[in-house]
Structure formats: C-alpha cells, structure tokens
Amino acid sequence: MAVRGPALAVESMLTFAVWAVAPAAVTGLALGVSPVLPLLLVGLLMTASVAGLWMLPAGWRADADDRGGESMVRILARAWPLFVTGAASLSMLALAELVLPALLEQRGIDVGWAGPLLVALAVGSAVGSFVYGLRRWPGRLRTQSMVLMFGVSGCLALVALLPGVAWLFVALAVAGVLQAGVMLTRNLSLREALPPSALAAGYSVMYASVGAGYAASGSLAGGLLSVVSPSTAILAGVGLGLVLTLVGVVGEVKPAAAEDGEAGSGGRDVAERPPVGRRRDS
C-alpha cells in the first residue's frame, strides 16, 4: 500500500485539477474563439489518450488460481459494502453540482457564483488527494472512509444552512478535501478485498455503483426541488448518503468481526475432553 496510496493520489489530483480548469477553459474557448472548438479539442485529446494507452507499462499478471476456485460473482458479491459506500460518496457530489444553482437563487445570490464555488470544490479535492498521498494515516481504511464521509455530510449540511457566499466557499472547499480521501480509501479498500485477477471486474462494478449513486441522488434532489426548497433537498440527499454509508459500514464490520473471532478462537488452548476408553483425548 506504500506505493499504491501515493499513485492513486496522483491520479486523483490530475482528475480534480482537470475538473477545476475545464469549465473555465471551455467557456473561454467557446465564447472567445469558436463554439465548436471545445468539442474538437476534446475529441483530439481523447484520440491522443487512446494512443497513449500503448505507452503504459504492462499491468498486473494474475490468473484465476488466486481465487481459490471461487467464482467471480461470489468474490464481487462479498465486496458489496465497498460498492454501497462508493455510491454514497458520489451521491454527495451530485448534490453540490445539481442543487447549488437553485440554492443560490433561493438565497438571493447571483447564480453566476455557482461556477467559482464548484471550482473551489474541485481545487479542494485536488489538495485533499495530495495531502492524503503524503503519508500513511492512522486507523483502518474503513474507519477512515466512515469518518471522512461523515465529514463530507456535515459540510454539505452546512452548505444548505449557511447564508453567505464566503461560508459556502469554505464549506465546499473542505468538502472537496474530505471527498478526495473518501474516494482514495474506497479504491485502496477494494484492492485489499479482492484478489488480483478480480480487480478489473471489481473496479468496473465500483464505477457502475458510483454512477448509480450519482444518478439516484440527482434524481432525488431534482424531484424534491419541485415540492420543497433547495436547502431541504440538499438535506434529504445528505440523509440518503448517510444511510448508504451506515449500511456499507455495517456490512464491512460484521464479516471482519466474524473473521477476528475465528482467528482468536484458533489461537486459544482448548480444554481436554474426558478420556474415552482409558485413552487420552487427542
């Protein structure tokens, strides 16, 4: 994990840095040069990235023997708590992106502030990725993830309640820092939970569950906006994220506690049973 943590942190930093710069760059190119230029540029960059895949070093080599004869479906099914908490992590992000303009309008704040506020969220995530990759943090990965998710939930609850733009900048920036840690701990936990031959399938399911969490939270918030205020919609989405987080944490803790109990009983001295037929119990 000593190398994987920093490597995943660098990848996350690049992702959030592009996310922070892209909106302003696209707007500037579309309005200042040509509306079609951003799409053409994206197409060229994607083509270059496909060519660049051939330059990457060879990935891990693993075969099905590392699964002990267990099917891929059963291995992935055991990792369901990680997929649930992954869905919870991006459901929070959906709240910030989709409900923020309506929240600003409710507060009487210019909706144009939504862009800079989301940039603050992205920059905070890039900073959080960098900080998390600097060192090993205390506690198990699932504990770190739970604490960070509660922190993100608290920040978004403050976004729903705080009145001023300055406070919104602070709350979203801190939420971004913590959100980066959530994503990194989930990815590292998945690497620990799955054998090498199941990692590709595991990350595919993780990305699918993350997208499902984003869609579910966005749909919930969008539906609620027609009947409640934006701040209430955000709080409802935070509640959904907390429920998913608790379900995932409970799902992780129970199997771990059972394994610890089995390991503990295996190391204890067991009392000898009464002799049978004048022979000692082996």
Side-chain angles (χ1 to χ4, degrees), residues 1-179:
M1 181 179 162
V3 176
R4 293 169 183 168
L8 288 173
V10 170
E11 188 269 343
S12 183
M13 283 175 56
L14 292 174
T15 299
F16 287 118
V18 171
W19 184 31
V21 173
V26 169
T27 302
L29 291 173
L31 297 179
V33 184
S34 171
V36 301
L37 184 59
L39 294 176
L40 292 176
L41 183 59
V42 168
L44 290 174
L45 291 175
M46 292 183 67
T47 303
S49 68
V50 172
L53 291 175
W54 296 100
M55 301 173 61
L56 293 175
W60 63 79
R61 292 192 177 120
D63 51 43
D65 292 340
D66 63 4
R67 302 202 296 264
E70 197 171 12
S71 68
M72 181 73 75
V73 174
R74 291 190 62 184
I75 290 176
L76 294 178
R78 283 206 311 270
W80 69 264
L82 298 176
F83 302 139
V84 171
T85 50
S89 66
L90 210 65
S91 69
M92 302 292 184
L93 187 59
L95 290 175
E97 287 188 338
L98 302 177
V99 187
L100 183 59
L103 179 69
L104 294 177
E105 189 176 5
Q106 176 193 1
R107 301 279 171 78
I109 301 172
D110 186 359
V111 179
W113 281 106
L117 286 168
L118 292 177
V119 169
L121 176 65
V123 172
S125 297
V127 172
S129 301
F130 174 75
V131 172
Y132 189 87
L134 288 177
R135 59 184 293 269
R136 292 176 63 93
W137 296 89
R140 297 182 178 182
L141 287 173
R142 67 170 179 264
T143 304
Q144 295 178 17
S145 179
M146 178 184 67
V147 172
L148 290 169
M149 276 296 296
F150 288 157
V152 174
S153 302
C155 289
L156 290 181
L158 289 177
V159 168
L161 300 175
L162 295 174
V165 175
W167 287 111
L168 292 179
F169 268 106
V170 173
L172 286 173
V174 174
V177 172
L178 301 178
Q179 172 73 19

